[in-house]
Amino acid sequence: MAGLDSLVNVLKAAGEVTRLRLLALLAAGELSVKDLTEILDQSQPRVSRHLKLLAEAGLIVRHAEGAWAYFGLSDDSERAVLARHLVDLLDQDDPQVADDMLRLQRVREGQREQAAAYFAEVAGSWDALRNLHVPEAAVEAAILEAVGGRKLDLLLDLGTGTGRMLELLAEKYQRGVGVDSSREMIAVARAKLVAANISHAHIRLGDITEIDAHAGPADLIIIHQVLHYFDDPGNILHTARRALKPGGEMIIVDFAPHELEFLRTENAHRRLGLSQVQMETWARSAGLDVTGFRDFPNKSGRENLTVCLWTLKNTGDLGRRSNNE
Ligand SMILES: C[S@@+](CC[C@H](N)C(=O)[O-])C[C@H]1O[C@@H](n2cnc3c(N)ncnc32)[C@H](O)[C@@H]1O
């Protein structure tokens, strides 16, 4: 509920062309100011001013992350419901809205290409690189512990890279499928599975932003050190859940929030770690419950990166996102 003046202010904030366009873009997922500036083709101060007004009206939330700031529709407030409703009223075929969505798609494609070029380059040396910043043995022990004695019919490993998770968990599943968009990574993963005599796991070339129910139903989905390559990790959870059995689980392993900007410039990271609050929010809106959390500070590494492990359960209770089920 809002008082008269306050509601008028909210409506004024939304009632402007660029700001409505911003709401429509953010309804499709979190975006950085940098990307929004590129999509709208307006100056950064101008875009920031519009974003500030929307944030002050409670229609969107800002999340500062190193040198970048991310924005998204806030999930909880009544104003976010209003924002989503306004976006729903917008005709997606409106030429301006359609053009914005096309530009958003191009920006995302550009980012994917950049990440793909990075992974193509490092595929051969990934197994040496992957544990550089990470207390790997402790994390892998925790993954095994989280899976426990369960026998899984189907394990999906999204962003499988060199297939290490399929190898680690080989005794736990009847059938394992690793999905990755990098041909170079996949080649290494296939060779690894052959060398380890693992014939009940398969590697597929695919984009994890497009996973659907056909990939499942999986008892367990693991997303290990992948989400920080995406502007909107929430979208990945939402998409991945389609391939999860009712009551099925996800294990997410990723960095805690950090300030190592060079990981963006040198290692294709987009998000500087994921916080517990973010994970709770993304999970809830994807129809998942966070059921467990552990963290692993890397005391020996010079960068002091902490790795986190979250377990999520499929409740099937879907929150609202703009992409279609
Ligand atoms: C940091 S590696 C992690 C690999 C593996 N999970 C591990 O922990 O060793 C991230 C992987 O995600 C893959 N990836 C990035 N974007 C992807 C996308 N859109 N669809 C599928 N795989 C993607 C990359 O090709 C890369 O192999």
Side-chain angles (χ1 to χ4, degrees), residues 232-245:
D232 187 7
N235 257 341
I236 304 291
L237 297 188
H238 185 83
T239 305
R241 194 201 58 91
R242 298 175 194 170
L244 198 56
K245 272 186 187 163

Side-chain angles (χ1 to χ4, degrees), residues 50-298:
H50 285 304
L51 288 167
K52 187 163 177 275
L53 284 170
L54 289 171
E56 281 168 1
L59 293 166
I60 64 172
V61 284
R62 178 180 189 276
H63 180 73
E65 224 180 76
W68 296 2
Y70 276 89
F71 287 85
L73 295 191
S74 66
D75 264 340
D76 292 331
S77 73
E78 289 172 334
R79 292 180 191 187
V81 174
L82 174 64
R84 294 235 175 239
H85 191 58
L86 290 173
V87 173
D88 286 347
L89 291 174
L90 260 182
D91 180 0
Q92 294 297 309
D93 292 330
D94 175 281
Q96 183 66 77
V97 176
D99 189 51
D100 285 349
M101 292 305 156
L102 201 65
R103 282 166 158 270
L104 168 62
Q105 213 178 318
R106 286 203 195 115
V107 163
R108 295 257 199 248
E109 268 162 24
Q111 288 160 1
R112 271 204 287 275
E113 277 163 22
Q114 266 177 22
Y118 168 74
F119 286 114
E121 200 179 312
V122 300
S125 50
W126 183 252
D127 281 347
L129 274 181
R130 68 192 291 285
N131 60 15
L132 213 54
H133 316 285
V134 173
E136 191 179 29
V139 174
E140 291 195 349
I143 292 171
L144 285 168
E145 202 179 304
V147 177
R150 276 178 290 168
K151 200 75 185 160
L152 311 165
D153 285 336
L154 174 62
L155 168 81
L156 272 184
D157 179 20
L158 300 187
T160 191
T162 53
R164 172 62 190 150
M165 291 301 116
L166 292 172
E167 183 185 34
L168 177 75
L169 297 171
E171 286 181 11
K172 307 275 186 186
Y173 56 80
Q174 302 285 342
R175 193 161 65 93
V177 176
V179 180
D180 205 285
S181 55
S182 162
R183 289 180 192 278
E184 292 78 5
M185 283 287 194
I186 279 178
V188 179
R190 287 194 174 127
K192 172 185 283 180
L193 293 181
V194 170
N197 241 331
I198 298 171
S199 56
H200 58 305
H202 303 278
I203 308 287
R204 305 263 177 271
L205 181 70
D207 190 326
I208 65 168
T209 62
E210 291 165 8
I211 290 288
D212 60 20
H214 293 109
D219 305 271
L220 178 68
I221 294 180
I222 185 153
I223 310 181
H224 183 271
Q225 294 292 11
V226 178
L227 289 184
H228 59 254
Y229 293 100
F230 294 88
D231 278 313
D232 187 7
N235 257 341
I236 304 291
L237 297 188
H238 185 83
T239 305
R241 194 201 58 91
R242 298 175 194 170
L244 198 56
K245 272 186 187 163
E249 287 197 341
M250 281 193 204
I251 293 180
I252 311 288
V253 176
D254 220 296
F255 295 119
H258 61 81
E259 294 185 352
L260 303 178
E261 202 69 48
F262 78 89
L263 290 174
R264 278 187 176 136
T265 47
E266 293 172 24
N267 298 52
H269 291 206
R270 304 288 300 176
R271 308 300 300 244
L272 297 185
L274 318 176
S275 74
Q276 270 182 271
V277 173
Q278 285 172 319
M279 186 58 77
E280 292 273 355
T281 309
W282 291 326
R284 197 178 329 114
S285 100
L288 301 159
D289 267 354
V290 177
T291 50
F293 170 79
R294 288 180 69 179
D295 61 352
F296 303 87
N298 190 13

